Amino acid sequence: MSRKVLIIEDSPGIADLVRMQVGELGMTPVLCDRGDSGLARFHEGGIDLVILDLMLPGLDGLSVCREIRSGPDYVPVLMLTAKTTELDRVLGLEMGADDYLTKPFSVAELSARIKALFRRVDAMAARSGSVADEGELQVPGLRMDPARRRVFVRDREVELTAREFDLLWHFASQPGRVFSRTQLLDRVWGYNHEGYEHTVNTHINRLRGKIETDPSRPEFIETVWGVGYRFRE
């Protein structure tokens, strides 16, 4: 079945360029020229990748990305923007974008980024399948059922995204072991690019917000200053 790529871009020229390249890769492009209509189409389902402009009418790209990431299912997001400042790039990654491409870009670079994102998706799916074969994991205050991908904190079920579940499992199955952001990118995300450590921070902050009674004083995922993070012994 052909993968569907949702292209949310209000510039007709760029949208057409991306559409043609997606088609050349054997995928099905779906075009929207507004942030609000693009988000509505995403919620209809069946989308495997979102290529998202930062500046959009109706709803800006950061807001669209934030809404996509608030759902339970993981779909990769490649953000496009004419802005080149470090702050804009970091904001996109903080909102949950997986990769970032600055306009103008080459067709070859766009193609390479799309292929790389789907390799990561396939790698993550393979890891998730191996996790599902594991038995239930329990520590005081936390229980994880990998087969059903369900998490209970103090007997209350907590809804996690696919990436949040994999991140928590990686920590909880190896208590006390310290992981750097680079190691987490490699082992949970399936890739390692300098400068993408921000996305690790964002996911850990969101995860703490869901499982910790007081995220500022975490009981489960501890910060090891200057090194990374660990799950408490």
Side-chain angles (χ1 to χ4, degrees):
M1 185 179 296
S2 176
R3 282 169 154 160
K4 286 187 179 179
V5 178
L6 176 60
I7 304 162
I8 311 178
E9 169 62 66
D10 65 330
S11 170
I14 293 176
D16 197 48
L17 175 68
V18 176
R19 177 190 60 78
M20 288 190 294
Q21 189 57 33
V22 166
E24 286 289 325
L25 293 173
M27 303 170 190
T28 302
V30 180
L31 268 65
C32 291
D33 61 1
R34 291 176 57 89
D36 47 5
S37 60
L39 184 60
R41 175 60 187 87
F42 174 81
H43 285 312
E44 291 176 12
I47 298 300
D48 300 295
L49 168 67
V50 178
I51 299 178
L52 175 65
D53 188 24
L54 182 61
M55 304 298 291
L56 290 165
L59 193 65
D60 66 89
L62 290 177
S63 298
V64 173
C65 189
R66 185 189 300 113
E67 286 296 317
I68 289 173
R69 281 290 168 264
S70 68
D73 298 322
Y74 168 73
V75 175
V77 174
L78 171 60
M79 189 163 280
L80 305 178
T81 180
K83 295 189 174 183
T84 57
T85 67
E86 175 72 12
L87 177 61
D88 292 316
R89 183 175 70 84
V90 169
L91 280 174
L93 297 173
E94 288 284 354
M95 290 300 104
D98 294 272
D99 207 347
Y100 197 95
L101 200 53
T102 302
K103 303 173 187 176
F105 51 83
S106 69
V107 170
E109 185 176 14
L110 174 63
S111 176
R113 298 294 183 93
I114 293 173
K115 291 177 180 178
L117 281 172
F118 278 122
R119 284 197 298 270
R120 296 170 198 166
V121 168
D122 293 340
M124 189 172 72
R127 285 194 300 274
S128 296
S130 64
V131 167
D133 294 333
E134 300 284 345
E136 191 173 272
L137 184 152
Q138 291 194 53
V139 298
L142 176 71
R143 177 164 60 90
M144 300 185 71
D145 181 349
R148 297 174 178 81
R149 298 185 72 82
R150 299 176 71 184
V151 176
F152 299 85
V153 178
R154 301 175 190 85
D155 297 323
R156 176 180 62 86
E157 185 166 8
V158 176
E159 288 192 11
L160 301 183
T161 66
R163 185 61 57 81
E164 288 167 348
F165 184 95
D166 290 340
L167 183 60
L168 181 58
W169 179 271
H170 187 75
F171 277 121
S173 61
Q174 302 173 83
R177 184 172 178 180
V178 180
F179 296 98
S180 68
R181 293 167 182 81
T182 301
Q183 288 173 324
L184 292 170
L185 275 174
D186 181 53
R187 300 176 190 185
V188 179
W189 275 257
Y191 64 96
N192 183 358
H193 291 307
E194 184 179 354
Y196 280 61
E197 291 85 357
H198 292 287
T199 197
V200 176
N201 300 347
T202 300
H203 277 78
I204 287 177
N205 289 339
R206 289 178 179 167
L207 184 56
R208 282 173 169 168
K210 293 181 179 182
I211 67 172
E212 304 284 3
T213 302
D214 181 0
S216 66
R217 301 177 63 185
E219 302 173 47
F220 297 112
I221 300 176
E222 302 172 333
T223 299
V224 181
W225 296 107
V227 183
Y229 303 93
R230 70 182 171 204
F231 196 86
R232 65 173 170 82
E233 297 268 8

